[in-house]
Amino acid sequence: MKKLLLLVSFLFVGITNYAQTNEYIEMARAILEKDTKEAIAEIVELDDSQKEEFWLLVNEYEDFSYFVKDKRIAIIKEYAENYENLTDEKADELINQAFDFKMEDLKLKKKYYKKMKKIIPATEAAKFIQAVNKIDDLVNAELATEIPLIE
């Protein structure tokens, strides 16, 4: 998990410039996804009969999570584009989009927790959700330090 903290820090340094290209975002995602899977493999204890189905679900979760997280990236980009001249209307629109993102992200986690409990013990499914949440928290902490508040 310490390795992930360092990785997240390096990946999001400079986000205040808002000049990250789509290639940079994709590269960061690929690295984060690889290291996330390594962290999950260390945390979740599975027997051989559970591994294949578990990792299929993890991959499926990652695919859907990718699209949910795209919405967050779009919100951040839109905020950056409007930062200098942010109106009340645009601020309201963006915060409501952020609420929608959070709800969709939570729904996805709940859905995959339920699916995982069918193939592995609830404690192990909970470990998966905890790991994903910790990684999200690391990303959130870095974003919180890099994205300026509305002036």
Side-chain angles (χ1 to χ4, degrees), residues 78-97:
E78 193 171 353
Y79 176 66
E81 290 167 7
N82 290 279
Y83 180 74
E84 296 290 326
N85 301 304
L86 194 64
T87 63
D88 284 343
E89 294 78 19
K90 182 53 82 174
D92 186 54
E93 176 187 329
L94 290 171
I95 201 68
N96 281 303
Q97 287 176 10

Side-chain angles (χ1 to χ4, degrees), residues 39-55:
I40 289 168
E42 291 176 18
I43 295 168
V44 178
E45 298 174 22
L46 305 169
D47 63 37
D48 289 338
S49 67
Q50 299 165 325
K51 287 180 181 178
E52 184 177 348
E53 201 169 355
F54 171 78
W55 287 108

